Each structure stands twice: as C-alpha cells, then as structure tokens.
Amino acid sequence: MTKKHKYERHRSAFPGEAYVHVSHESGLEIYVYPKKHSAAHVLLTVEYGAGDRAFRPCPGAPTVVVPDGTAHFLEHKMFENEDGGDAFEDFAALGADANAFTSSTYTEYCFTATEHVYRALGILLRMVREPHFSEGSVAREREIIAEEIRMEEDDPWQALYAGTMRALYHEHPLRIPVAGTVDSVAQIGPEQLRACFDTFYNLRNMTLFVCGDVSPSAIVRTADRCLAPAPPFTAERIRPAEPETVAARRFYREMEVAQPLFTIALKDRHISPDPAVRLRRQCVYDILNAVLLSSSSPLRTALYEEGLIGPQLSYGFSHCSEYSYNEITGESDDPEAVYTRLMEHVGRLKKTGIPPDAFERCRRAVYAASVRSFEDTVETAQTLADFVLDGEEMFDEPRAVLSVTREELDEALGTVFREEAAVMGVVAPPRR
Amino acid sequence: MERIRIAPGVYLNRMATDRFHSDYVSLRFLLPLRERDAALHSLLPYVLRRGCAPYPTLAALTERLQMLYDARLAASASGRRGEIQLLTQSAWMLDGSVAPAGEDIFGETLAVMRDLWFSPLTENGVFREDYTESEKKTLTDAIRSRINDKSVYAAMRCRRVMCQREAYGASTLGREEDAAAADPAALTKVHRRVLTDAPCEIFCIGRGDADRTARLFADAFGAWPRTENPFPKTEVIRSAPRVRHVTDKMDVRQGRLSVGFRLGLTEADGCRPLLLMLNEIYGASPTSKLFMNVREKLGLCYDCSSAADWLKGVMFVHCGIADGKRRAAEEAILHQLDEIREGRITVSELDAARRSIRSALRSLSDGPDSIESWHLGRRLAGQETTVEEEIERVMAVTRGEVAEAARRVTADTVYFLSGTEAGKAGGDDEEA
C-alpha cells in the first residue's frame, strides 16, 4: 500500500548537494540528505527545551510549572528501556553510537552509524515514544545529573556564558541553566517527567534529520513501519515577555582561572518573523563581525600587539526567531579596556563606513564557512536542523552571503553596537 | 595512500578523493618530546605566523588568506603520539570547484604555507625580537590557562606524576621558565633544526594536485641541507611496581579522579586491535563497563571513560566525582578491570565493542584529518596495516585474548584533584 506523504526536493547550487523533505502522515517531518560518506548521522529533535518551564497541555487546561532542568532530566531518562535496560546498549548492538542534548528550545537525540542505519532508526523512533521510568531509576539519575551540574559549575567558560545571559536577559529562558541546579533537580520526580512527556513528545512536535548514504524512500518506509498518526499537538507554551533593555550591565565572578575571561554581548531587538529576513541579517552580521574582529582587522591587530587580548578571540551573531544577540569572547587582563576600544572603533567606522577591501575579504570568508557546513554528515545534519527548525533554507545561505552589500553593514553597525544594548561578563582569578 | 620521498627525510603521502569540497595539505614534523625543548617547539609556529617576507604582519597574512576564501592555515606543536611531539602546519581550503569564479585557491594557499615556513621574517639572521617577545606572552598565557579546564588539568597532572622520569610526562606546551628564557637566536636555531633534521611527513588529501604539492615542497626543502633521521623513539615501561596516590587541592565543586595504567603491550608489538578492544570494553563507549557500572549502576559520576596511547602503552581513566566518593570510585574503576581480567565479558559487550570499533574505523574515510591521522599513526608505529585489515583483526579478537591482555595491565598512579572541603578533612594519600 502506498501511503500519502508529501515530498519536496531542495537543491543547492553545488553538484550533488540536495535533500528531500517528507511530511510523513504520522505527523513527523522528515528531512533526508543523501551523502556518500561511510557514517550516517541521524538526529531527531523534539521542540521542547529548558525554556519550557510553564505550559498548558491543551487550551483551557491549568498551567503546569516544572522545576528547572526537567527537559534535560527527561532526555536522560528516555534512554531507559521497559526492562530497566539501556537504549545505548540497543544502539551499540547495531554498531551505532548514540547521544542526546538539550538546549533552551529543543531536545535532540542522535546516533552515528556505518551499518544497520534503518534498524537503529527503528530503535530511535520507538525510544522517543515509550518512556519507562521508575521511582528508583529517577532517584539514581538525580545523582548522575548532580555530578554533571557540578562539573559544569567548575567550568569557567560555562559560568561566563551563564552569567552573561543573566545580564543580557530579564526573563528569557536563556537565563536558565539547561540542566537546572542541584536543588531544582532534587524536586523532579516521575510525575513531572510524565507530564512533560505527554505534553511535548508528540510526533507533530518532532523533526527527523538523516544525512548519509541512505535512500529517502527506505527512511520513509522505516517511519511507515514504526509510526502511527499522532493525535493533534495542542500544547501552549507560556513564555514571559522580555523587555528590550538589558538586565544588568556587568557580570563578575571569581574562579580558579589563570587570566580573566570575558564576553561582551550586545542585545539585538530586531527579530523579523520572516525567515528570509533573518537569514540575511545573519549573513550581514557574520561579515560585519569578521570585518571588526578577524585577525586582519586593525582593531584585533592593535589589541593583540598591545597584549590586551590573546590569539584566541571568538565571536558570533546568534540570531533566530527566539532571541538575538552578538557576542565576543576571549581572555584579557583588562576586559574593560577591550570593551572601550571596541566601542571607539565602531564609532569611527560609523563615520567612515566599512572599508571596501575589508568588506570583500570578509564576505569571501563567510561564504567559505557556508560551503564548509556541508562537508561531513554530522555537521550537515546539524546545520540542516538549525536552519529547518528556524524556518530557513540552508541552501540559500551561500547565495545570500554573496549578495550582501557594504551599505547593509554600515546600517547594521548602528543598530546593534550601542552602549545601552551591551553587557560584559567577566570570570577572573581570585584577588589574593 | 601513496607515499613518495621528495627530499631526505621528507615524504609526501597522497590520496586523491572527490568526497570533499575542500582540499587538505599538512606538514607533520616529528620531534622528540623533551621537557626542555617543548616550549621552543610550541613558540615556533606562533612566531612564524606573525610574519614572513611576503606577509610581514599577521594582518597582512590574514588578509591574503581571507581573499583565498578563508583558507585555514593552522600550526601547532600540541600534538603528541608516544614520546613524539608533532609540530604541524596544516592548510584546509575550499576547492576551486566551489569558488564563485573557480579561483586557484589550492596553489595560492600552498605558496603562502611555504612562505610561512621557508621565508620567515628575520633581522640580522634571527627572528624579530618584538614578535618573539609578544608570542612568549601568548605561550605563557596558554601554559597558565591549562588550569581553566579541570578535567584537562587533572589528566595532565596524572600523566606528569606517573611519568615524571620519562619524556612522556612533559607537556607539549613546555614549562613557563623555558618560555620566559626563549630568545630570537634560540628560536631561530630550533627553526633551522626542524627544517634540516626533523623527519617530515606531508599529507595531501582531496581534489588538489599532489604533483604540484610535491614539486613545491621538494624545491623548498631542497634549499636546505637535509639529513634523513629515523623517527624519534618512545620508551615503554611494561608494568608498574606499585600504585602511587597523589592528591592536589583546589577550590572546585567537583573532584576529578584520574587513574593511569601501564598496558604491558603497545602497537609496536602488533597488538593495536587487541588494545582497542580492551579499551572499548573497559571505558571508551557508553556501553563500556565503566559507563554502565560506575555511572549507570552506582551513580558515582557523570563522566567516566578511558583513553589510551598505543605507542606508549599507557591508558588513563578520568572521571568527575563528589569528594566523598573518591575511594568508592577508585575501587569501582579497578574492580571493572578485574572483571575483564577474569573474563567476565558478555557476548553482547564483546559484540558491541567490535561493532563500535568497526564503525569508527570505517568512518575514518569521512574526513581528511581522520584519514591523515590514521596513516600517520600507523607510520609512527611502523605498522603497515590497512583499515580493512585492522577491522578484520578487531573482529577476530576473542574474550580470552582481551582477558589475557587485561591481566598484563597494572595500575600505576591514582591522581585526585580534590575540592577544598576534602582538604579540610585531611588527606589519606601519600604525596609524590
């Protein structure tokens, strides 16, 4: 019997790079990106993350509020089988290497396999639909997660990120540590996990991505075999409104580090509901960041030569429908001086405009990065997921980069690099 | 992978593949790992990157590379295999086939890479004083920053304590005092010695023209009086006379436990497949004994895994635990090794390990860096094995062989990075 699924082909400008989107009748959205590599990467996302701390299972139902870290806890427990065994072992028996992650907005389950991809997919599709947790196994998991939290709390980069997000946002879920705290995790029991599972683990709230030497029709046949149409997805997420201002100008903490670590973050208010507009804005800021901060920039050169920053400086524009900020992270004995110099440099560029040669070089660099994102199956699947979950088309990116103009960068300089939008987080060695 | 000699002690390893949209070329200089030399080895690529004759500043070099679609030239001396320090210069660039105007990115990037190493910027025959001084600070910061990541720090301390009388105990970054003492003359000498004496393996993987690579580097090395030297040797200690316990204290939330073992066998003994199996069953995967028991059954930690150096014949287990669980964790880690020694390995454990390794070996072909890493590893161990042969040998390893290999393993060092709370309670450990 042929089932009625909707197929849609997406082609890139590069030979051989294409994927298929299938709206499966079960409600699951499926994306298959054939690539002749040995290892296939499969990932399944559930649009349920650490940010979903309050929700109504269906319209009119009472609001459910869960302790911080529940989504991540549930991710851990989904690997438990009916007999108390572990799904990791089922994947391993097929030679597949499984893993899972939770972010602020979604939970991801994934595996990499060089054989038995379809059978391993069957395990994955079963696993996310059948939770098994007992009081005892949940109690044991609490201990494991507490150690995970302590490990993260000892990581100064993690502390820097968390503190910077708390400075940037008043209410947004990026403030919340994904794994929760040792105290919040202590309040999580089987009933909360069950409530979250029942609300969010619906095929209509999930997306499957496969990249590897696979056939789209065989992937769909596996889904046909494993999945029945899901009931309507009715959950309502309750997200607090986020003011446009920053919550605090500075975050400072002392930890065992050799040299102060800093992040300068700039809150961006301009989030378009149109995915194509967001994609373009992402390209503009990627180029702008390279002009301002890559190793060829006069600012970076000066800061490095004066010993104000080390050779490593990372920067990026995080822009999606849920949040938007620009971020610069590095190590410096004097982070405040770095901040001042950055703003002065931006001030000068606002007057002179972006130099044409720097613009061309940096546009090429960002173009290369967009082509590199489909070099291996893990990265391709992940990139595709990031684009799809935000409603964007990954193959539009290289073209969009090449069409960005210098005038767009000039305009962008003024909208994000503002004193009142900026926060700085610092993790510094203890003053002894 | 074809290997041809292009100069005394310089070999080009070439593999043509159209699997990637990028090309990869690397120079791998093989240096003996020595405590007193490590800092200068690490400093060299930092200073080379600051300027060469055609591109006298880092900004000029970066400008050039950005025009070449962000060709990535990366250099570092942080790689290590046994007691060999790998000084690596790699170039990873978009292939001309995906460049908007079909530019010759490959040839142009190789020329830059050659200039960096063979036409450095000098004054009075030595490296520039200002660049050297500035990069000494960069290196010193990097040496000090190792404390930032507690798991890396604990692993490094464990290795140092265990191998304090072997070259292996050295850190590839070197010592702070050696970084401070470095000067342009000493660095220039090291640069000459690398170009004249150090065995060099060049890798060229992708669509790029390997003949062109061969000609370019044959000419470049041809201008130097090369000596063909054997690869540096690695001292192997087959067993530990007793277990040494060492504890350091630091202000951290989570203790880090590292246990170092002597394997008794090495890759040079032709035992890599067997050791891969032992490591996999013991602690290298989420279905390993350490993960399933120390984490899942006992809930002692979040991470607990093993990793080995086949050339040196050592293995380390690392985990993060609450301070009070140190003894329990150590006992559990050693107990799981005893289980293997006594042959208590289930059919599914054995099978999962074989499949996992087979999958990892098959996946090697998915990235130029993993292809390179495999061939370099075999070359250093003097083993002529293909991936397919390795898979066959892994699949043939029996439970009895793994148990016998485990019986040769001796625990050498138990290192604990303790939180300050435990420090107050008083230590029960002897100090090295």
Side-chain angles (χ1 to χ4, degrees):
Chain A
M1 187 185 93
T2 322
K3 306 222 177 182
K4 287 197 182 72
H5 310 301
K6 224 179 93 207
Y7 281 75
E8 196 183 14
R9 259 165 232 291
H10 297 244
R11 285 198 178 82
S12 78
F14 306 113
E17 302 297 336
Y19 65 87
V20 182
H21 171 203
V22 185
S23 292
H24 193 258
E25 70 164 10
S26 63
L28 182 69
E29 299 295 330
I30 301 175
Y31 292 81
V32 185
Y33 194 131
K35 193 178 260 301
K36 291 233 173 281
H37 278 216
S38 305
H41 191 65
V42 176
L43 68 92
L44 185 138
T45 56
V46 185
E47 285 187 61
Y48 166 54
D52 296 304
R53 9 154 60 169
F55 54 86
R56 279 183 288 274
C58 58
T63 300
V64 178
V65 179
V66 293
D68 288 346
T70 304
H72 171 259
F73 203 124
L74 184 56
E75 171 230 292
H76 273 232
K77 286 320 296 169
M78 291 308 293
F79 281 91
E80 185 165 327
N81 287 339
E82 197 169 2
D83 59 359
D86 199 311
F88 280 123
E89 292 176 278
D90 301 339
F91 284 109
L94 296 174
D97 185 11
N99 211 337
F101 309 93
T102 304
S103 79
S104 165
T105 49
Y106 63 86
T107 310
E108 170 184 323
Y109 299 88
C110 60
F111 69 83
T112 300
T114 54
E115 56 183 342
H116 305 308
V117 175
Y118 306 106
R119 283 170 66 193
L121 175 59
I123 295 175
L124 180 67
L125 293 177
R126 185 199 70 214
M127 185 182 106
V128 294
R129 287 175 308 114
E130 294 171 9
H132 303 282
F133 23 75
S134 62
E135 198 71 60
S137 72
V138 167
R140 203 164 50 240
E141 201 67 37
R142 238 179 250 132
E143 296 291 308
I144 295 172
I145 292 174
E147 283 311 324
E148 182 179 4
I149 291 169
R150 288 191 187 102
M151 182 173 85
E152 285 179 4
E153 285 174 350
D154 280 336
D155 179 348
W157 294 105
Q158 191 72 30
L160 177 67
Y161 170 77
T164 305
M165 289 302 120
R166 287 198 300 276
L168 207 54
Y169 292 105
H170 297 266
E171 302 289 343
H172 194 279
L174 285 175
R175 288 176 58 87
I176 309 164
V178 167
T181 62
V182 173
D183 290 341
S184 75
V185 166
Q187 300 160 28
I188 300 173
E191 52 303 331
Q192 282 108 331
L193 297 176
R194 185 79 222 189
C196 292
F197 174 84
D198 289 343
T199 304
F200 292 104
Y201 278 59
N202 178 311
L203 291 173
R204 298 184 195 280
N205 191 41
M206 298 180 187
T207 314
L208 176 70
F209 303 89
V210 183
C211 180
D213 193 3
V214 295
S215 119
S217 57
I219 295 289
V220 170
R221 279 199 302 278
T222 306
D224 289 348
R225 229 179 7 254
C226 299
L227 306 175
F233 178 67
T234 55
E236 291 180 348
R237 300 163 205 270
I238 300 169
R239 290 276 166 87
E242 172 64 29
E244 289 194 350
T245 57
V246 299
R249 301 299 299 272
R250 293 290 182 269
F251 160 79
Y252 178 85
R253 191 174 151 192
E254 293 182 353
M255 288 179 82
E256 291 279 359
V257 290
Q259 192 184 11
L261 323 178
F262 72 90
T263 292
I264 296 167
L266 298 129
K267 191 168 178 174
D268 174 28
R269 300 169 297 177
H270 303 274
I271 302 177
S272 168
D274 180 350
V277 174
R278 289 202 301 274
L279 174 63
R280 188 160 191 94
R281 190 170 173 78
Q282 179 78 51
C283 297
V284 168
Y285 276 87
D286 287 346
I287 301 171
L288 180 58
N289 275 329
V291 169
L292 288 174
L293 298 159
S294 70
S295 295
S296 63
S297 86
L299 173 68
R300 174 94 175 255
T301 302
L303 293 175
Y304 187 53
E305 284 177 355
E306 291 166 40
L308 270 172
I309 55 169
Q312 307 296 335
L313 189 75
S314 70
Y315 46 86
F317 185 53
S318 295
H319 187 59
C320 64
S321 58
E322 300 268 341
Y323 52 84
S324 180
Y325 63 88
N326 199 38
E327 164 261 324
I328 300 149
T329 296
E331 294 176 64
S332 174
D333 291 326
D334 190 353
E336 291 294 340
V338 175
Y339 174 78
T340 306
R341 296 282 293 276
L342 169 70
M343 290 315 230
E344 284 170 4
H345 183 70
V346 168
R348 276 192 300 277
L349 279 180
K350 280 180 187 170
K351 292 195 190 98
T352 61
I354 302 287
D357 55 339
F359 169 70
E360 176 54 26
R361 282 196 310 270
C362 294
R363 190 166 63 168
R364 289 185 176 203
V366 174
Y367 171 83
S370 72
V371 177
R372 284 190 161 117
S373 65
F374 39 83
E375 278 292 72
D376 77 76
T377 53
V378 175
E379 197 176 348
T380 303
Q382 189 62 56
T383 305
L384 181 60
D386 291 342
F387 274 83
V388 165
L389 294 178
D390 210 43
E392 298 165 14
E393 169 58 61
M394 81 181 273
F395 290 147
D396 288 347
E397 194 184 37
R399 241 193 331 264
V401 171
L402 292 178
S403 70
V404 167
T405 65
R406 200 153 58 88
E407 289 66 38
E408 287 175 277
L409 265 69
D410 287 334
E411 197 190 318
L413 261 184
T415 58
V416 168
F417 287 89
R418 297 172 302 124
E419 294 275 355
E420 59 274 25
V423 307
M424 180 150 70
V426 172
V427 171
R431 293 177 195 143
R432 289 194 172 100
Chain B
M1 183 80 72
E2 187 195 358
R3 182 172 183 258
I4 53 169
R5 184 178 186 270
I6 60 169
V10 182
Y11 292 83
L12 176 74
N13 302 266
R14 55 193 284 177
M15 180 186 269
T17 168
D18 59 2
R19 202 176 254 221
F20 316 112
H21 295 295
S22 50
D23 301 310
Y24 180 87
V25 176
S26 67
L27 307 180
R28 297 282 204 160
F29 293 103
L30 314 178
L31 307 167
L33 177 62
R34 273 194 224 113
E35 183 95 70
R36 62 175 190 276
D37 295 335
L40 279 170
H41 290 164
S42 283
L43 188 59
L44 180 61
Y46 290 179
V47 173
L48 289 178
R49 182 180 94 108
R50 287 299 294 274
C52 56
Y55 312 104
T57 63
L58 176 57
L61 172 69
T62 310
E63 284 179 7
R64 178 75 186 126
L65 295 173
Q66 284 177 334
M67 283 308 278
L68 294 168
Y69 292 88
D70 209 22
R72 308 256 170 96
L73 287 190
S76 143
S78 63
R80 55 189 298 156
R81 297 283 179 95
E83 290 172 355
I84 298 173
Q85 182 171 18
L86 298 168
L87 178 54
T88 304
Q89 171 72 59
S90 64
W92 188 44
M93 51 256 160
L94 282 201
D95 188 71
S97 58
V98 288
E103 293 94 331
D104 177 25
I105 300 174
F106 181 78
E108 300 283 321
T109 305
L110 284 194
V112 178
M113 180 157 138
R114 175 202 56 203
D115 293 339
L116 268 190
W117 281 82
F118 293 92
S119 310
L121 207 56
T122 53
E123 278 173 359
N124 307 319
V126 296
F127 286 123
R128 271 172 59 157
E129 178 88 34
D130 54 346
Y131 284 174
T132 307
E133 283 305 312
S134 156
E135 294 307 319
K136 279 163 67 174
K137 177 183 180 326
T138 303
L139 176 60
T140 305
D141 287 344
I143 292 170
R144 290 180 183 161
S145 290
R146 290 179 304 195
I147 201 170
N148 293 2
D149 186 330
K150 308 307 175 245
S151 55
V152 171
Y153 179 77
M156 180 188 82
R157 283 282 298 136
C158 182
R159 188 177 59 220
R160 169 167 302 280
V161 169
M162 173 163 147
C163 303
Q164 50 190 307
R165 290 187 182 82
E166 298 149 71
Y168 199 72
S171 155
T172 50
L173 282 177
R175 293 177 300 206
E176 222 178 301
E177 58 265 35
D178 295 323
D183 62 37
L187 194 63
T188 307
K189 231 157 102 184
V190 166
H191 177 242
R192 289 216 177 101
R193 203 174 63 217
V194 167
L195 292 187
T196 55
D197 289 4
C200 181
E201 297 288 317
I202 301 177
F203 289 84
C204 178
I205 298 164
R207 303 168 193 244
D209 183 347
D211 291 333
R212 211 166 148 192
T213 310
R215 282 195 301 275
L216 186 118
F217 286 108
D219 287 349
F221 279 105
W224 291 79
R226 287 281 306 175
T227 311
E228 177 133 17
N229 288 308
F231 292 172
K233 291 267 181 297
T234 295
E235 177 193 7
V236 176
I237 293 178
R238 302 266 168 185
S239 69
R242 65 184 182 99
V243 185
R244 177 170 25 207
H245 285 83
V246 171
T247 299
D248 286 338
K249 292 176 182 61
M250 201 187 275
D251 184 12
V252 287
R253 289 266 284 157
Q254 184 185 59
R256 299 290 318 179
L257 183 69
S258 289
V259 185
F261 297 91
R262 305 283 180 183
L263 285 171
L265 293 169
T266 71
E267 180 175 3
D269 303 322
C271 291
R272 190 167 183 272
L274 178 57
L275 297 174
L276 278 172
M277 282 292 286
L278 171 62
N279 183 44
E280 191 75 21
I281 291 167
Y282 184 41
S285 82
T287 53
S288 66
K289 287 193 176 288
L290 291 180
F291 192 94
M292 294 309 291
N293 292 285
V294 185
R295 169 177 149 139
E296 294 291 316
K297 288 220 175 70
L298 300 171
L300 287 170
C301 55
Y302 167 67
D303 64 322
C304 186
S305 61
S306 65
D309 185 324
W310 322 116
L311 211 51
K312 176 71 179 167
V314 293
M315 177 170 71
F316 294 91
V317 170
H318 305 297
C319 70
I321 49 170
D323 272 344
K325 293 175 180 166
R326 178 201 153 310
R327 275 182 184 283
E330 180 185 336
E331 275 168 25
I333 287 166
L334 296 176
H335 176 70
Q336 290 308 318
L337 188 61
D338 283 337
E339 293 285 291
I340 300 177
R341 287 179 175 134
E342 284 157 33
R344 281 194 278 275
I345 304 164
T346 64
V347 173
S348 63
E349 282 174 321
L350 200 62
D351 193 46
R354 285 182 187 139
R355 285 176 187 274
S356 172
I357 296 168
R358 179 167 68 182
S359 179
L361 288 169
R362 283 182 180 158
S363 305
L364 289 170
S365 61
D366 288 346
D369 47 345
S370 52
I371 293 172
E372 177 205 23
S373 178
W374 159 266
H375 287 280
L376 180 66
R378 302 300 74 70
R379 179 69 48 203
L380 295 183
Q383 303 288 307
E384 301 282 343
T385 318
T386 65
V387 173
E388 283 310 315
E389 288 163 1
E390 185 91 337
I391 290 173
E392 257 175 51
R393 293 183 56 203
V394 165
M395 299 311 277
V397 170
T398 65
R399 175 191 291 140
E401 287 168 336
V402 174
E404 201 196 319
R407 287 196 288 272
R408 291 173 183 260
V409 176
T410 46
D412 184 300
T413 298
V414 179
Y415 171 82
F416 189 48
L417 180 65
S418 150
T420 40
E421 288 306 306
K424 284 173 203 155
D428 49 11
D429 304 324
E430 41 183 300
E431 188 55 51

